[in-house]
Amino acid sequence: MKKLVFLFVAVLLTAISANVFAQGTGTAPSIGSTHQYYVNGTYGSPTAAGETSTYTWWISTTPVDLSARTTLTADFTVTAGDYDTPTLGSAGGSGIEIKWNPTASTTNHYYLVVQEEGVAPLCTNIKAVAILPTNNFKLLFEAIASDGTTLSDDPTRCPAPITLSASGATIEYNYGTDNFMFKLTAQDLYSSWSFIGTIAKTLTSPGFTVDYKIGEAGTFGTWTGEPNLTVPANIAGTEVVYFRVNVNNGTSTGTFEENTAAKTITLTLSGVEDAGGNAVTEIKNNNGDDITATPVQTQNIQARPATTNIGSN
């Protein structure tokens, strides 16, 4: 008589866990961030050697039937692990790493599904988790001093000092140069982003120029017109952009150089969005005020005293 041997295999599949690889959470990942998902242990630690269970991971965007696989799209990138391919747990198949790209929807869920298939008689278990990418893009918009020191909002300072020299009986005036700087700091953003910057001024100096640089170690380049500047992605979730407005007051004695009326330099932002077209969620100024609706920073130049030429008797 043949002996029947019944092999009972208990396949225990824990609820899907997510390890935060960047900002946000696994189920509410920041746009552009990368997260690790796993079952039955810790991501990156293969299950016991010799295990014959295989794991198949896929994403569904069909709520009524999560077995409907979504083919790889621009919305997400599998950066480690196998997608929709049975992989042995001993080979690390119990985990997958996904980057949520800027084109990912922030209004519709993605359903990450994993199926574990055991040894004969091939019992299976399946788990799923709902994931909704989140736009956490914030921006700090500051007026800063030329040495990088943060100033109060809409700061005011005196014009550059005047230097004097003489050639015989002729007095020569040099009204000096000065830099007025602004700083943008992107926060909680893991994709590239863009904006339009508009510089306005009430001064008329012929020596007025605007430079910008991206990153602390970047190089200043010339800012012309009102370009739509694209800032590259930063895996740290933050990136800075500096604007340097140089005012060369010249040596003539016209109305501007005397500067007997206050002047302003204003930087206005518009169209601030990430690479997926998601608008920035918050813009704050130096004082911590929310200026998302009107992102403007002004640096003010006080008037000099209206001193007349020296008279004599």
Side-chain angles (χ1 to χ4, degrees):
M1 180 179 186
K2 293 183 178 180
K3 184 181 293 185
L4 298 178
V5 179
F6 292 92
L7 179 61
F8 176 75
V9 180
V11 182
L12 299 177
L13 187 60
T14 64
I16 291 179
S17 303
N19 182 39
V20 178
F21 190 71
Q23 293 295 319
T25 66
T27 55
S30 293
I31 291 295
S33 67
T34 302
H35 292 260
Q36 298 165 341
Y37 303 87
Y38 54 90
V39 291
N40 298 352
T42 302
Y43 182 85
S45 298
T47 54
E51 184 197 357
T52 54
S53 283
T54 60
Y55 298 82
T56 306
W57 295 85
W58 70 86
I59 286 176
S60 178
T61 54
T62 309
V64 296
D65 181 11
L66 298 188
S67 66
R69 273 82 156 161
T70 297
T71 56
L72 292 172
T73 70
D75 292 355
F76 60 90
T77 302
V78 176
T79 53
D82 296 309
Y83 185 79
D84 202 13
T85 303
T87 305
L88 284 170
S90 56
S94 59
I96 192 169
E97 186 177 274
I98 297 174
K99 179 180 180 181
W100 298 97
N101 296 323
T103 54
S105 173
T106 58
T107 56
N108 296 312
H109 285 88
Y110 298 81
Y111 299 95
L112 178 62
V113 184
V114 61
Q115 175 178 288
E116 179 180 351
E117 185 172 32
V119 295
L122 303 179
C123 297
T124 63
N125 202 345
I126 193 166
K127 295 292 181 182
V129 66
I131 298 171
L132 184 63
T134 305
N135 177 14
N136 293 319
F137 179 20
K138 300 178 179 63
L139 192 68
L140 180 61
F141 184 13
E142 304 172 279
I144 62 174
S146 55
D147 63 358
T149 305
T150 299
L151 303 172
S152 61
D153 191 50
D154 294 330
T156 298
R157 71 176 191 257
C158 292
I162 300 172
T163 59
L164 298 174
S165 61
S167 177
T170 302
I171 305 300
E172 297 180 352
Y173 292 82
N174 187 326
Y175 291 89
T177 62
D178 207 350
N179 287 322
F180 298 84
M181 296 187 67
F182 302 89
K183 181 180 180 182
L184 307 178
T185 305
Q187 301 169 320
D188 297 326
L189 182 67
Y190 303 90
S191 76
S192 60
W193 55 286
S194 61
F195 65 93
I196 298 173
T198 304
I199 296 284
K201 59 188 187 297
T202 59
L203 46 84
T204 56
S205 169
F208 180 92
T209 59
V210 181
D211 298 325
Y212 77 97
K213 74 171 182 175
I214 299 172
E216 298 290 355
T219 302
F220 276 102
T222 302
W223 176 269
T224 57
E226 297 178 1
N228 190 329
L229 182 65
T230 297
V231 184
N234 186 317
I235 60 173
T238 183
E239 187 60 280
V240 297
V241 180
Y242 288 94
F243 288 91
R244 180 177 64 190
V245 181
N246 178 265
V247 178
N248 184 345
N249 295 313
T251 57
S252 67
T253 55
T255 303
F256 168 74
E257 288 75 15
E258 282 291 340
N259 197 33
T260 54
K263 306 291 184 182
T264 62
I265 300 172
T266 302
L267 173 59
T268 302
L269 303 181
S270 62
V272 184
E273 60 184 27
D274 69 14
N278 300 295
V280 63
T281 61
E282 178 184 273
I283 303 177
K284 287 191 173 182
N285 62 16
N286 309 45
N287 297 340
D289 303 319
D290 190 330
I291 58 171
T292 310
T294 54
V296 176
Q297 274 287 356
T298 299
Q299 295 221 34
N300 306 290
I301 309 171
Q302 289 180 304
R304 291 189 174 98
T307 309
T308 66
N309 290 328
I310 296 174
S312 61
N313 58 23

